[in-house]
């Protein structure tokens, strides 16, 4: 078998494969002999069917199958040995006069080649790396939420400004009939607040749904309907008061600290605030890191310029899917995927240049850390190492999970690299300012 490459341009090539009778004959004969041994054809004893009949019945199919196997194996071997960095898979060229009755065959395959380019992590333009801090306002609000969450309910005779009111919203036309708890402080509409203040159990108050709550999602929850539908509503609903309670905030004492963090781990209000600050900023770091990763990705895609074998890739998309596409459909698909492909190539170049690898042991440790986080959410704060090992082994036996975790670990490694080598400009902001600046 002879394989040669014809370079069309920097991004396109044609590989020509010459298959001779010597390449496939022995294998085809061996397979046909096995067929002869097993063949059951009326008029002949098993194993005694004439070889000519076997070849006539099965010869062409065996030949085609064997030649295709040879092509696949040797073409892949050639691409590896020649270190050809191809995009997609080789596409067989159409040969109108191809003859399977010949003894020697010639095949041609189109190749799309990866472009050559360099990646400089030390970008000319400094990219913002946010450090999100928990300010006093946020910390104090969190302390208040904790006190409220763990506080005691005190029954009231009439509605006050800081009370929680249990009741039922109804509207016959919209088929609304939903029991809920309304916090007076979360009501936005002043007229609604005034109509509720001073009311008693059993009273029915008519409220308008438009701008009823300070947060849009609260209306859907209160009425028992989808948030999207609730946002469009501008109707009157009846609210029947069934219970009125005031939430007495929990005291900031050792009993509360132990309940929150475990016995003796926090012993004062000052330590509580320090812990809240640390925990909050640790969570913020994940958002900051994701923002940095997104910004660097976009920056590389926009600033690292290289051509792609567009015509080849469009043809590859057109011919390799489950359902054949038209040229227009394939071009549209290529346009959608081009950005992702460009970053795949850039990321691959960074990984190769910096010799970043993922070892199984570190993937296992990464999986165990992920499992530990999930267990902590369900109150299992100190799982045994043996238990973590067993769960990790089950997770890593699933190839889809291995792929997902490997991608996450690689992103983490790339992020560490970017923090070390990229041109970053640190910026300290509160979470509120971060949201405004990043999301508008």
């Amino acid at each position: 078998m002879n394989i040669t490459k014809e370079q069309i341009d920097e991004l396109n090539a044609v590989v020509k494969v010459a298959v001779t009778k010597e390449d496939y004959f022995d294998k085809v004969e061996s397979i046909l002999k096995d067929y002869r041994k097993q063949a059951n054809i009326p008029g002949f004893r098993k194993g005694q069917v004439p070889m000519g009949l076997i070849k006539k019945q099965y010869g062409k199919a065996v030949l085609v199958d064997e030649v295709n196997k040879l092509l696949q194996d040797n073409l892949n071997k050639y691409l590896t040995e020649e270190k050809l960095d191809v995009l997609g898979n080789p596409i067989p060229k159409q040969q109108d006069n191809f003859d399977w009755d010949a003894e020697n065959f010639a095949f041609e395959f189109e190749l799309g080649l990866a472009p050559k380019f360099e990646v400089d992590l030390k970008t000319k333009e400094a990219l913002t790396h946010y450090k999100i801090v928990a300010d006093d306002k946020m910390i104090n609000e969190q302390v208040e939420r904790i006190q409220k969450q763990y506080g005691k309910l005190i029954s009231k005779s009439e509605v006050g400004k800081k009370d929680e009111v249990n009741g039922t919203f109804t509207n016959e036309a919209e088929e609304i009939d939903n029991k809920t708890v309304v916090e007076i402080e979360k009501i936005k509409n002043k007229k609604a607040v005034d109509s509720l203040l001073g009311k008693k159990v059993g009273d029915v108050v008519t409220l308008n749904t438009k701008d009823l709550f300070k947060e849009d999602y609260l209306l859907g929850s209160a009425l028992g309907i989808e948030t999207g539908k609730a946002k469009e509503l501008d109707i009157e609903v009846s609210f029947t008061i069934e219970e009125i309670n005031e939430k007495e905030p929990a005291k900031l004492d050792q009993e509360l600290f132990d309940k929150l963090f475990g016995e003796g781990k926090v012993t004062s209000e000052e330590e509580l605030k320090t812990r809240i600050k640390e925990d909050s900023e640790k969570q913020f770091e994940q958002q900051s890191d994701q923002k940095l990763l997104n910004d660097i990705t976009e920056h590389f895609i926009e600033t690292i310029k290289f051509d792609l074998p567009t015509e080849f890739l469009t043809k590859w998309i057109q011919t390799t899917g489950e359902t054949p596409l038209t040229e227009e459909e394939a071009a549209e698909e290529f346009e959608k995927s081009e950005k992702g492909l460009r970053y795949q190539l850039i990321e691959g170049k960074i990984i190769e240049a910096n010799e970043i690898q993922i070892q199984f042991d570190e993937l296992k440790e990464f999986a165990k850390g992920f499992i530990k986080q999930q267990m902590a959410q369900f109150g299992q704060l100190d799982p045994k190492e043996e238990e973590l090992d067993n769960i990790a082994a089950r997770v890593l036996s699933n190839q889809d999970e291995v792929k997902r975790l490997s991608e996450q670990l690689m992103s983490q490694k790339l992020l560490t690299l970017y923090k070390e080598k990229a041109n970053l400009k640190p910026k300290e902001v509160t979470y509120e300012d971060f949201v405004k600046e990043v999301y508008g």
Side-chain angles (χ1 to χ4, degrees):
M1 182 178 292
N2 184 39
I3 303 180
T4 57
K5 177 170 70 74
E6 178 188 345
Q7 194 77 29
I8 306 301
D9 55 39
E10 286 188 358
L11 299 173
N12 294 276
V14 172
V15 168
K16 298 180 179 181
V17 185
V19 180
T20 65
K21 183 177 181 179
E22 288 74 19
D23 295 321
Y24 62 80
F25 181 79
D26 289 346
K27 183 67 174 177
V28 169
E29 285 293 305
S30 174
I31 293 170
L32 290 174
K33 283 176 183 177
D34 287 340
Y35 272 41
R36 186 186 180 210
K37 290 176 186 177
Q38 303 299 326
N40 283 311
I41 297 179
F44 299 97
R45 284 185 296 163
K46 187 175 181 180
Q48 298 300 314
V49 180
M51 181 57 85
L53 186 57
I54 293 293
K55 286 184 177 181
K56 184 178 180 182
Q57 198 159 357
Y58 303 109
K60 183 69 68 66
V62 172
L63 171 68
V64 172
D65 188 50
E66 187 56 32
V67 169
N68 280 327
K69 285 179 184 176
L70 279 170
L71 281 172
Q72 185 175 343
D73 293 344
N74 286 277
L75 188 55
N76 289 337
K77 185 180 176 184
Y78 175 81
L79 296 177
T80 302
E81 289 176 350
E82 295 295 314
K83 296 179 180 177
L84 293 176
D85 193 0
V86 299
L87 301 179
N89 294 315
I91 300 175
K93 289 189 76 172
Q94 186 69 34
Q95 294 173 273
D96 294 332
N97 298 320
F98 190 85
D99 183 11
W100 280 107
D101 290 324
E103 290 188 342
N104 300 324
F105 309 106
F107 301 91
E108 293 186 358
F109 296 88
E110 297 177 55
L111 300 183
L113 304 176
K116 291 179 171 56
F117 60 92
E118 297 299 325
V119 178
D120 185 0
L121 293 179
K122 204 74 175 176
T123 55
K124 291 180 182 179
E125 179 187 338
L127 300 175
T128 302
H129 182 205
Y130 291 95
K131 176 175 172 52
I132 308 171
V133 296
D135 58 359
D136 290 342
K137 179 188 173 189
M138 170 177 276
I139 294 168
N140 291 332
E141 286 175 350
Q142 181 64 9
V143 170
E144 287 178 13
R145 276 195 291 272
I146 289 170
Q147 287 184 278
K148 194 169 185 181
Q149 182 181 347
Y150 289 90
K152 292 188 293 186
L153 287 176
I154 300 172
S155 182
K156 297 279 295 295
S157 59
E158 59 182 49
V159 179
K161 288 184 178 180
K162 294 190 175 182
D163 293 343
E164 293 182 359
V165 183
N166 292 29
T168 302
F169 278 108
T170 56
N171 179 289
E172 192 173 338
E174 294 292 335
E175 298 182 341
I176 293 169
D177 186 356
N178 191 58
K179 285 184 178 293
T180 189
V181 179
V182 174
E183 295 180 47
I184 300 300
E185 287 182 318
K186 291 185 178 179
I187 295 178
K188 178 180 179 181
N189 190 300
K190 187 178 182 304
K191 185 178 177 183
V193 172
D194 290 341
S195 63
L196 284 164
L197 292 178
K199 292 296 186 291
K200 298 179 180 180
V201 172
D203 287 345
V204 179
V205 181
T206 300
L207 303 172
N208 192 282
T209 58
K210 187 171 179 59
D211 296 326
L212 181 57
F213 292 101
K214 293 176 181 177
E215 301 290 342
D216 288 342
Y217 75 91
L218 290 173
L219 181 61
S221 175
L223 301 182
I225 60 176
E226 292 180 359
T227 302
K229 181 181 177 183
K231 285 177 75 173
E232 304 298 321
L233 281 184
D234 183 2
I235 60 172
E236 288 189 340
V237 289
S238 297
F239 182 62
T240 304
I241 298 172
E242 293 160 2
E243 189 178 337
I244 305 166
N245 295 300
E246 180 185 1
K247 198 102 178 224
E248 183 181 87
K251 292 179 182 179
L252 297 175
D253 56 18
Q254 196 59 47
E255 183 183 351
L256 178 61
F257 302 151
D258 290 348
K259 191 180 290 184
L260 291 170
F261 303 106
E263 192 172 343
K265 291 186 177 178
V266 170
T267 58
S268 67
E269 183 177 343
E270 186 178 346
E271 286 183 16
L272 170 66
K273 289 183 176 181
T274 300
R275 182 66 180 266
I276 290 172
K277 181 177 176 65
E278 289 172 353
D279 290 349
S280 297
E281 290 180 356
K282 194 172 181 181
Q283 290 182 345
F284 295 155
E285 190 176 349
Q286 295 175 3
Q287 294 184 55
S288 171
D289 284 350
Q290 189 59 54
K291 170 64 177 166
L292 176 62
L293 200 56
N294 292 345
D295 287 348
I296 289 178
T297 299
E298 286 296 323
H299 182 78
F300 283 154
I301 291 171
E302 294 300 322
T303 59
I304 299 175
K305 303 296 183 183
F306 52 81
D307 292 327
L308 291 170
T310 302
E311 187 177 338
F312 169 84
L313 289 170
T314 303
K315 188 186 292 185
W316 179 67
I317 290 170
Q318 184 181 1
T319 57
T320 57
E322 289 183 10
T323 306
L325 303 177
T326 65
E327 284 187 30
E328 292 76 13
E329 289 171 334
E332 191 177 328
E333 284 301 313
F334 172 73
E335 192 176 336
K336 288 177 187 175
S337 60
E338 183 181 0
K339 208 171 182 180
L341 174 58
R342 285 183 178 277
Y343 185 68
Q344 271 187 331
L345 292 170
I346 293 167
E347 188 182 78
K349 181 76 74 174
I350 294 169
I351 291 168
E352 182 184 7
N354 293 276
E355 299 180 342
I356 303 174
Q357 295 180 337
I358 292 177
Q359 304 295 339
F360 180 78
D361 286 346
E362 61 183 343
L363 183 61
K364 182 180 177 183
E365 288 304 309
F366 182 74
K368 284 163 67 174
F370 186 73
I371 293 161
K372 202 170 180 179
Q373 286 178 5
Q374 289 185 315
M375 293 175 78
Q377 292 175 7
F378 295 96
Q380 293 177 266
L381 301 176
D382 192 23
K384 293 180 180 178
E385 196 67 19
E386 184 181 357
E387 185 179 9
L388 289 172
D389 282 333
N390 290 336
I391 297 173
R394 287 200 300 274
V395 169
L396 295 176
S397 67
N398 183 318
Q399 288 305 307
D400 290 336
E401 285 298 309
V402 169
K403 183 175 182 291
R404 184 178 66 83
L405 289 168
S406 296
E407 288 172 353
Q408 290 181 0
L409 180 54
M410 182 56 75
S411 289
Q412 195 177 88
K413 284 174 172 277
L414 286 168
L415 188 63
T416 300
L417 178 72
Y418 297 152
K419 286 180 178 179
E420 289 173 1
K421 297 190 174 183
N423 184 11
L424 304 180
K425 178 177 65 178
K427 183 174 184 179
E428 193 170 286
V429 291
T430 64
Y431 182 71
E432 188 176 340
D433 288 339
F434 174 77
V435 172
K436 286 178 184 176
E437 196 164 317
V438 173
Y439 304 108

